């Protein structure tokens, strides 16, 4: 075995690694600007409409809930307006959502229930008194509306914001 056999073998292995690296790099090329625009189409549209300084926040959705109702909603606000508000003033509305039973109640109201009796049929909500207690908190915060005769619904203007909040929370 000559001294240049290990050198030749090492050179061949380096060449093979370089070929594989080049193939990987070409397949993992960063997205083109067109692809980026397609991915962030809503963000790009918002930037075109939003004030230049400080930015803007957009919440939008078009949803057909399991019960068949359709809701379309959007809201845009300058970021500076949000920063100037008291974040703590939103605590009561967020607090109404911060309970697993209330979130499941909202889910049932979207999916298949309209009355306390229908909610209780699921069997995992406790007593009717407990259900009414949680529904009162949701109504007070505006997440649900009492229609009378034990019937409730989520106002259409609250469906998309509720889903956006759920989307924004870690799973």
């Amino acid at each position: 075995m000559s001294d240049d056999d290990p050198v030749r073998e090492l050179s061949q292995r380096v060449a093979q690694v370089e070929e594989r690296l080049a193939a990987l790099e070409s397949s993992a090329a960063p997205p083109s600007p067109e692809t980026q625009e397609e991915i962030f189409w809503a963000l790009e549209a918002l930037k075109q409409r939003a004030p230049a300084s400080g930015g803007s926040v957009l919440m939008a959705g078009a949803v057909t809930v399991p019960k068949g109702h359709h809701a379309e909603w959007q809201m845009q606000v300058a970021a500076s307006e949000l920063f100037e508000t008291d974040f703590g003033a939103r605590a009561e509305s967020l607090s109404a959502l911060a309970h697993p039973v209330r979130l499941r109640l909202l889910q049932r109201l979207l999916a298949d229930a309209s009355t306390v009796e229908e909610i209780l049929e699921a069997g995992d909500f406790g007593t009717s008194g407990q259900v009414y207690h949680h529904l009162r908190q949701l109504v007070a915060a505006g997440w649900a509306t009492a229609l009378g005769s034990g019937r409730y619904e989520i106002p259409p203007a609250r469906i998309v914001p509720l889903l956006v909040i759920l989307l924004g929370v870690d799973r």
Side-chain angles (χ1 to χ4, degrees):
M1 183 185 240
S2 70
D3 287 335
D4 58 302
D5 285 340
V7 171
R8 188 176 322 129
E9 182 181 331
L10 183 59
S11 293
Q12 289 173 345
R13 290 178 67 193
V14 168
Q16 290 171 347
V17 167
E18 287 175 342
E19 285 176 26
R20 286 188 284 179
L21 180 60
L24 284 172
E25 287 176 341
S26 68
S27 68
S32 69
E34 293 173 354
T35 304
Q36 284 291 84
E37 287 178 13
E38 290 173 14
I39 292 170
F40 295 108
W41 58 270
L43 180 59
E44 293 303 321
L46 176 64
K47 284 189 215 177
Q48 290 175 8
R49 297 176 61 102
S53 65
S56 187
V57 177
L58 172 69
M59 172 174 32
V63 179
T64 301
V65 299
K67 285 188 348 185
H69 299 96
H70 187 75
E72 293 184 358
W73 193 83
Q74 78 174 28
M75 179 179 187
Q76 176 186 345
V77 64
S80 60
E81 286 182 45
L82 285 173
F83 292 131
E84 292 170 4
T85 65
D86 177 10
F87 285 17
R90 293 173 170 83
E92 185 176 333
S93 184
L94 291 171
S95 178
L97 297 177
H99 194 286
V101 170
R102 290 192 285 274
L103 287 170
R104 286 196 312 271
L105 284 171
L106 291 170
Q107 187 174 16
R108 287 294 313 274
L109 290 172
L110 287 171
D112 60 4
S114 296
T115 66
V116 171
E117 290 77 24
E118 290 169 343
I119 291 168
L120 288 170
E121 287 173 7
D124 59 347
F125 290 100
T127 67
S128 61
Q130 291 168 322
V131 171
Y132 278 112
H133 166 77
H134 289 295
L135 285 170
R136 273 192 300 276
Q137 290 183 302
L138 291 168
V139 169
W143 292 107
T145 301
L147 302 174
S149 302
R151 300 182 68 77
Y152 293 83
E153 72 175 9
I154 298 176
R158 296 298 263 177
I159 293 172
V160 171
L162 172 64
L163 296 176
V164 168
I165 289 169
L166 293 171
L167 178 65
V169 181
D170 290 340
R171 296 179 200 178

